[in-house]
Amino acid sequence: MSLVSTLTANDLFGFALVMLVLTYLLARKKVSSPAACSVLGFFCAFIPPLAIVFLVFLTLKTELPEYRSDRPDQRREG
């Protein structure tokens, strides 16, 4: 294996790990199964344009109702 292909493989795997973390952080408030979504983001990272589209999709997705900031506060006083 040449040096160039080794560096490219390391860069691609590093990008996949970054996608794993980013998709988990985005998905935990937006989908009901963030672990499955982060695994999907990890495998999408091996096709970088698909990974970017996946991140944009997660960013634009609405939050789950229990995490929305515009819902009325339901804490009890007293």
Side-chain angles (χ1 to χ4, degrees):
M1 193 182 271
S2 70
L3 182 63
V4 174
S5 63
T6 302
L7 291 176
T8 303
N10 286 339
D11 291 341
L12 189 62
F13 190 71
F15 180 65
L17 289 177
V18 167
M19 282 296 297
L20 179 78
V21 171
L22 284 178
T23 54
Y24 178 75
L25 291 175
L26 279 172
R28 65 184 171 165
K29 290 187 178 181
K30 298 193 179 211
V31 296
S32 58
S33 59
C37 195
S38 61
V39 169
L40 182 64
F42 176 80
F43 287 116
C44 282
F46 292 106
I47 305 171
L50 185 62
I52 302 301
V53 168
F54 188 65
L55 274 181
V56 169
F57 170 75
L58 275 179
T59 304
L60 296 177
K61 187 170 173 33
T62 59
E63 291 183 347
L64 292 174
E66 58 264 18
Y67 294 109
R68 296 191 65 174
S69 60
D70 61 347
R71 69 184 179 124
D73 194 13
Q74 297 183 5
R75 288 182 288 175
R76 292 186 183 179
E77 306 260 344

